[in-house]
Amino acid sequence: MTDDLEQWFIYRGPGSGGPRALPVPWPEAPPWRRFGGIPADDDAAAAHAAVPAVAPAPVAPVAVVPGARGDADAPPNGAGPKPPPLPADPPPPADRPAAHAPAAERPTLQEDYVARTFHLPAEQRTEILLAVNAAIRLRRPLLVTGPPGAGKTSLAMSIAYELDLGPVLRWGVTSRTTLRDGLYEYDALGRIHDLTLARGGIADNAGNYAEDIGNYLRLGPLGEALVPRRRPRVLLIDEFDKGDSDLANDLLHVFETGTFDIPELQRHREESVPVRAADRTGPRDRRVEVVGGRVECAEFPVVVLTSNRERDFPAAFHRRCLRLELQAPTKRDLQMLLERHTGYWAELGVAPAAYRPGDPVETFAKRAESRTLSSDQLLHTAFLDGTGAPLDPLDAAGRALLDIVMGDLHGGG
């Protein structure tokens, strides 16, 4: 890999030394992928600058984070003058430990583990890095396909971890998933119930609570990802191919404009309403301010869609995405993956003392010749092997346990 290519990469993948010196400068968006959302901290800075020096400094509202500040009358994406580039991120403390980062910005324990043990296949490493970095620079979703256990989900966590973009926003898709599920949810029945109690004199404080429509609105993962921020979040849309055939078409407008409307707020008497955030890794009642009933991003999120290729998508959807197909890991990749995991187990002090390097890989590779397996099953086998579990394929108990742990993902033995 040439030095010029290495410098072009924003995401460099595992093995590059962990999180880079933060924050990683975010590349400028193409002119046709710039959006008009204004981060809440930009609002506060502008308001502070407008106040005379003799006036008291404005007090920032409590529990409101970079919010969904947007102009409902703004021209659609691609029309009218473009907003100026966002100001550069302020330099962070040189020795800021991750443990001191705000709770909502830290990855979960699971994501931290996955990112630290993620392995890029040697034969596809450059191709994967090219695809991820092109998607980031072009502000386009990355559609990742491949067999189970190829690392589709882990890739999103690795991007968020290395670039310090906070916990991954996860949207799991099923056959019943609709676009609104990803954008926001509104508990209309709950609000009617509380208003009924208040008007009947049953609950004294229910009336004031029910009057605040923001108490009954919560952003979904996609909605949260579009909240305007200086630095984007990573959105994982998992198993997208399981969704209804209309879901891909419904997403086209959101992916193209970086905006969505909340009709319940556009009809509301208040111009600005704090609604509940989707991200539950921070304060329990964290709020996001929505102005004019519209959410518009400032930086398009890093979107990773995973698919097991159960069905294809419309050409119009493919045109708005970049595609990456991950291959099944080779035996060498499996060995390196296992070494990364067992090395991290040792750091955590939970490494099975009896682990025998290489044995689980040989067993996995042999069984994979006639079965569909996932690399997760290799890790399960290696960990159990270290605990002294009976895993000898020549023993009846060993064969039975291997059939349980390394069963065919397509339903066979």
Side-chain angles (χ1 to χ4, degrees):
M1 190 178 301
T2 66
D3 291 340
D4 289 343
L5 186 58
E6 182 73 18
Q7 290 299 318
W8 183 77
F9 286 156
I10 303 160
Y11 168 72
R12 297 176 182 173
S16 61
R20 306 256 295 279
L22 304 176
V24 177
W26 207 246
E28 186 174 351
W32 61 90
R33 295 296 289 166
R34 297 179 186 175
F35 305 94
I38 302 176
D41 54 351
D42 282 3
D43 282 345
H48 183 74
V51 175
V54 296
V59 178
V62 178
V64 176
V65 298
R69 171 72 162 82
D71 185 356
D73 298 322
N77 184 53
K82 296 297 181 184
L86 292 174
D89 293 307
D95 58 349
R96 181 190 119 181
H100 292 165
E105 296 180 4
R106 296 202 302 269
T108 64
L109 291 176
Q110 180 193 33
E111 290 175 15
D112 181 85
Y113 178 86
V114 170
R116 287 173 182 266
T117 55
F118 181 59
H119 168 68
L120 286 177
E123 295 182 1
Q124 272 198 293
R125 180 181 180 85
T126 300
E127 178 188 358
I128 294 171
L129 293 179
L130 288 170
V132 171
N133 284 282
I136 291 174
R137 290 183 177 274
L138 293 173
R139 285 9 180 224
R140 288 295 184 185
L142 182 64
L143 177 60
V144 185
T145 58
K152 301 185 292 294
T153 301
S154 301
L155 178 61
M157 297 183 185
S158 177
I159 296 170
Y161 173 79
E162 181 185 326
L163 301 182
D164 195 40
L165 300 180
V168 174
L169 295 165
R170 303 185 65 163
W171 182 19
V173 173
T174 70
S175 60
R176 300 180 299 277
T177 298
T178 66
L179 176 61
R180 176 163 161 172
D181 294 331
L183 294 175
Y184 73 97
E185 60 183 40
Y186 175 48
D187 185 9
L189 292 179
R191 191 179 185 207
I192 292 172
H193 174 73
D194 290 345
L195 285 172
T196 301
L197 293 179
R199 290 167 182 169
I202 299 174
D204 294 337
N205 62 347
N208 292 334
Y209 186 84
E211 284 297 322
D212 182 359
I213 191 174
N215 290 325
Y216 303 90
L217 279 162
R218 182 181 293 278
L219 295 178
L222 174 58
E224 178 84 18
L226 293 174
V227 169
R229 299 178 175 87
R230 292 171 178 268
R231 294 170 61 78
R233 294 287 295 273
V234 175
L235 171 66
L236 171 64
I237 306 180
D238 208 12
E239 298 190 324
F240 185 64
D241 52 327
K242 293 186 180 299
D244 183 86
S245 58
D246 291 332
L247 183 59
N249 289 323
D250 293 341
L251 271 172
L252 293 179
H253 178 75
V254 176
F255 281 169
E256 196 63 26
T257 65
T259 68
F260 71 95
D261 295 328
I262 302 179
E264 292 84 355
L265 295 186
Q266 291 182 326
R267 298 189 296 265
H268 195 58
R269 62 181 181 275
E270 300 291 340
E271 175 70 6
S272 176
V273 177
V275 304
R276 298 180 186 276
D279 193 342
R280 299 171 189 250
T281 59
R284 186 176 67 87
D285 196 32
R286 193 170 65 89
R287 299 295 181 107
V288 171
E289 182 187 18
V290 178
V291 179
R294 169 168 292 183
V295 177
E296 181 173 7
C297 69
E299 285 285 1
F300 192 76
V302 180
V303 181
V304 177
L305 303 103
T306 72
S307 168
N308 292 319
R309 294 176 295 194
E310 292 187 5
R311 66 176 182 84
D312 202 1
F313 305 110
F317 183 81
H318 280 302
R319 184 171 65 85
R320 289 166 172 82
C321 299
L322 300 184
R323 286 181 279 179
L324 171 66
E325 182 170 357
L326 298 182
Q327 307 298 324
T330 64
K331 188 174 177 180
R332 178 189 172 197
D333 291 328
L334 293 172
Q335 184 62 52
M336 294 182 67
L337 174 67
L338 187 56
E339 289 175 359
R340 290 182 69 89
H341 277 265
T342 53
Y344 194 35
W345 293 349
E347 291 182 26
L348 297 175
V350 297
Y355 167 63
R356 296 166 295 177
D359 292 354
V361 174
E362 294 292 341
T363 302
F364 181 92
K366 185 174 182 179
R367 293 176 70 88
E369 294 174 357
S370 58
R371 298 170 175 82
T372 301
L373 302 179
S374 164
S375 57
D376 289 343
Q377 294 166 295
L378 168 63
L379 300 177
H380 297 163
T381 304
F383 191 87
L384 291 178
D385 183 44
T387 65
L391 288 169
D392 186 349
L394 301 179
D395 177 73
R399 288 195 301 273
L401 184 54
L402 284 172
D403 286 341
I404 293 171
V405 181
M406 288 193 183
D408 193 331
L409 297 180
H410 287 166

